[in-house]
Amino acid sequence: MTTEWKNYPVGELYDELITPKCQPRAAARQLVRHLARMDEKALMARQAAAELAIKTMGVTFTVYTQAEGTIDRAWPFDIIPRIIALKEWKRIEAGLKQRMQALNLFIDDLYHEQRIIKEGVFPAEVLADSVNFRPQCIGVSPPLGIWAHICGSDLVRDKSGTVYVLEDNLRVPSGVSYMLENRLVTKRVFPELFGKYAPLPVDDYPSQLFDTLAALSPRPADYPEVVVLTPGIYNSAYFEHSYLAQQMGCELVEGRDLVVGDDDCVYMRTVSGLARVDVIYRRVDDLFLDPEVFKPESTLGVPGLMCAWKAGNVALANAPGAGVADDKVVYAYVPRIIKYYLGEEPIIPNVPTHLCVDKKERDYVLANLDKLVVKPANESGGYGMLMGPMSTKAERDEFAKLIQKNPRNYIAQPTLSLSTVPTVVNGVVEPRHVDLRPFILSADKIQVTMGGLTRVALRKGSLVVNSSQGGGSKDTWIVDTEGN
């Protein structure tokens, strides 16, 4: 049986490939026709080929708890790509660049003059209760004035077709390696489609990342020594750490591989002796970076690293303290932040957000917990959330207590009807909800990946796309349908 698109259940949702009249969107026309010619057996064969390729390539991710007793899982992948027309993408790209420019100005201001607070645009009490503001960074000026060099902003589209920014990940965002691997696997599975579509490339990301990091080097006249600092093999993103180091041709190091000398420079232990390090792409959280400044019990970091960074002898990406903007309460202020620093209206809107720290909004949230999504300010990976419409009364009662105990730590948003993409489920094609995480690089210039990591809620009706919560992924194609 081939795919009958006339029976594809779009419903009242926005599907990325199919219109409400069950017709393919312009950019997806060739793909939809191609899939329509494939029967169940052929679809399953392609899906099986993709899963075999992922196993052969060793593409894994780690979950910290799993009933089977193992922690490594093959990366869940669906073969049908998501397609976005280049014309629409250009607007999204401009919006993401605008957002990153403003957020970096915001972070830099918080660690210097705090003009935005003095002028009453951003509340002092929000900063005072921030768990990611690092007083140790006050007065530090990182290279180029940039704090967040790598950002992964999550985008969602509602049933009207409007694209929103759902959150900004500015601490140690992950997922870009899966974006790259998804493209490689899709090329293997649908080689015949690449000649017709020519989706814009993403495989230049490692070189763009290296150039971004190299631009931060304190020794710009020399070829910089860039390393990737990982917490080690038990970290959920270890595959990505090793992948990016390998793709950039850099050393993958742990804290024990680095030492800070008496000259406040960072050195890497090698078989030939110590080698100076210029830039560290750190995938270790702030509080574990330097036991002399943060957690003294940490064995993941490097003693003296903060001194070396403050002296300007080594660059850290992302800079310590950048996570102050990776706070869902701060997120609610981003439109004002853009207006304040750039004098512009946001190109991409925020999802409407209720701040529980505000009594009036908190009362509304507590009265409507069954309709809202409640999120803690500084969690990631989908942990600690309440999905109101799917929650039990006991769960809502528990969250009501949590919100009343620490209102600063919670926001709430309406439950959006996320857009869907056709997905292969047991040999047939069904809609599944998706989001999108593009990656933005900032140094001497700002670059945005052509697309990003599309995450899929593989369970029917689920809105949770995080891989740690059972989600999967798809390749994302940006295609030029107008010959630009």
Side-chain angles (χ1 to χ4, degrees):
M1 183 177 70
T2 56
T3 302
E4 295 287 344
W5 291 106
K6 64 182 180 183
N7 297 325
Y8 180 77
V10 176
E12 296 181 353
L13 301 174
Y14 184 100
D15 192 273
E16 300 284 340
L17 302 188
I18 307 296
T19 69
K21 294 182 179 179
C22 292
Q23 297 298 311
R25 297 191 185 278
R29 199 164 289 144
Q30 293 187 75
L31 172 64
V32 170
R33 287 174 181 165
H34 188 78
L35 293 172
R37 292 193 291 269
M38 299 177 69
D39 59 18
E40 178 180 331
K41 185 177 179 181
L43 269 177
M44 291 298 285
R46 302 275 182 133
Q47 183 67 43
E51 291 168 2
L52 178 60
I54 286 170
K55 287 183 180 177
T56 304
M57 294 158 68
V59 185
T60 63
F61 77 106
T62 305
V63 290
Y64 292 118
T65 58
Q66 193 175 50
E68 302 95 279
T70 59
I71 57 174
D72 277 334
R73 293 181 57 187
W75 180 244
F77 174 76
D78 181 76
I79 58 174
I80 301 178
R82 173 194 200 154
I83 296 182
I84 302 173
L86 178 61
K87 182 179 180 181
E88 180 182 23
W89 185 253
K90 284 183 174 178
R91 178 182 164 277
I92 294 172
E93 180 184 43
L96 293 171
K97 288 181 175 179
Q98 177 197 52
R99 201 169 178 95
M100 280 315 302
Q101 186 182 0
L103 284 171
N104 270 306
L105 290 168
F106 170 69
I107 300 169
D108 197 59
D109 188 20
L110 291 186
Y111 288 113
H112 290 90
E113 300 175 18
Q114 300 191 349
R115 289 184 295 112
I116 195 169
I117 293 175
K118 293 172 183 170
E119 296 180 23
V121 178
F122 185 80
E125 56 270 26
V126 173
L127 180 64
D129 293 331
S130 168
V131 299
N132 289 313
F133 180 74
R134 306 281 173 243
Q136 299 89 343
C137 298
I138 291 175
V140 178
S141 295
L144 307 171
I146 303 296
W147 293 75
H149 309 95
I150 301 104
C151 175
S153 291
D154 292 342
L155 306 179
V156 294
R157 193 198 297 272
D158 72 358
K159 62 183 180 183
S160 72
T162 302
V163 173
Y164 296 89
V165 176
L166 183 64
E167 62 185 49
D168 302 293
N169 299 283
L170 297 99
R171 284 177 285 179
V172 283
S174 62
V176 75
S177 61
Y178 301 115
M179 174 192 78
L180 299 171
E181 294 287 41
N182 285 352
R183 177 60 52 87
L184 290 176
V185 174
T186 310
K187 281 182 178 176
R188 292 190 184 191
V189 174
F190 287 125
E192 67 275 23
L193 286 174
F194 276 79
K196 297 175 183 175
Y197 269 106
L200 293 175
V202 294
D203 55 5
D204 51 355
Y205 179 82
S207 62
Q208 290 178 347
L209 176 60
F210 183 84
D211 290 345
T212 297
L213 298 171
L216 310 175
S217 173
R219 296 189 297 173
D222 298 326
Y223 188 81
E225 185 72 62
V226 178
V227 300
V228 178
L229 175 62
T230 176
I233 61 172
Y234 297 109
N235 186 270
S236 63
Y238 181 75
F239 168 82
E240 177 156 300
H241 305 165
S242 57
Y243 179 90
L244 291 176
Q246 188 268 333
Q247 291 292 310
M248 290 194 293
C250 299
E251 297 291 340
L252 178 68
V253 300
E254 297 183 23
R256 60 192 173 183
D257 299 318
L258 302 178
V259 61
V260 178
D262 294 336
D263 56 357
D264 275 345
C265 293
V266 179
Y267 295 90
M268 174 172 51
R269 304 180 203 273
T270 75
V271 293
S272 305
L274 296 178
R276 182 170 169 184
V277 172
D278 299 298
V279 184
I280 300 174
Y281 177 26
R282 55 96 175 196
R283 300 297 296 258
V284 174
D285 288 340
D286 283 358
L287 296 180
F288 298 91
L289 272 179
D290 184 346
E292 292 183 356
V293 176
F294 301 116
K295 290 181 179 290
E297 69 274 20
S298 171
T299 58
L300 301 179
V302 185
L305 183 58
M306 287 293 286
C307 278
W309 175 63
K310 288 182 178 181
N313 294 331
V314 69
L316 296 175
N318 285 339
V324 67
D326 186 343
D327 178 318
K328 293 178 180 62
V329 176
V330 173
Y331 158 87
Y333 289 90
V334 171
R336 289 180 232 181
I337 290 170
I338 292 172
K339 182 83 172 174
Y340 177 74
Y341 290 108
L342 305 181
E344 301 171 0
E345 295 296 329
I347 297 172
I348 312 176
N350 270 18
V351 174
T353 302
H354 303 284
L355 294 172
C356 294
V357 72
D358 179 276
K359 184 180 183 312
K360 187 176 178 182
E361 294 198 40
R362 181 167 69 248
D363 290 344
Y364 173 82
V365 171
L366 292 171
N368 293 277
L369 283 174
D370 60 331
K371 305 179 185 67
L372 299 169
V373 178
V374 180
K375 300 177 180 177
N378 294 290
E379 288 285 354
S380 59
Y383 292 103
M385 291 170 48
L386 175 75
M387 301 293 288
M390 277 77 85
S391 66
T392 64
K393 185 176 183 305
E395 289 170 334
R396 293 194 292 275
D397 289 344
E398 178 189 350
F399 264 77
K401 292 177 183 175
L402 291 171
I403 291 169
Q404 287 166 330
K405 183 179 180 182
N406 185 8
R408 162 64 175 85
N409 195 44
Y410 290 93
I411 65 163
Q413 295 169 326
T415 308
L416 296 182
S417 299
L418 303 187
S419 63
T420 58
V421 177
T423 301
V424 178
V425 181
N426 298 324
V428 297
V429 176
E430 295 182 355
R432 290 291 185 270
H433 295 293
V434 293
D435 76 353
L436 177 63
R437 176 175 291 183
F439 295 87
I440 309 107
L441 299 173
S442 303
D444 51 346
K445 56 186 174 182
I446 304 177
Q447 302 177 85
V448 182
T449 51
M450 278 295 167
L453 177 66
T454 288
R455 302 185 298 178
V456 189
L458 292 175
R459 283 188 289 114
K460 187 174 184 178
S462 173
L463 298 173
V464 180
V465 298
N466 308 77
S467 55
S468 56
Q469 308 285 320
S473 70
K474 287 174 170 288
D475 195 8
T476 309
W477 292 4
I478 307 301
V479 298
D480 183 0
T481 56
E482 298 181 353
N484 294 319

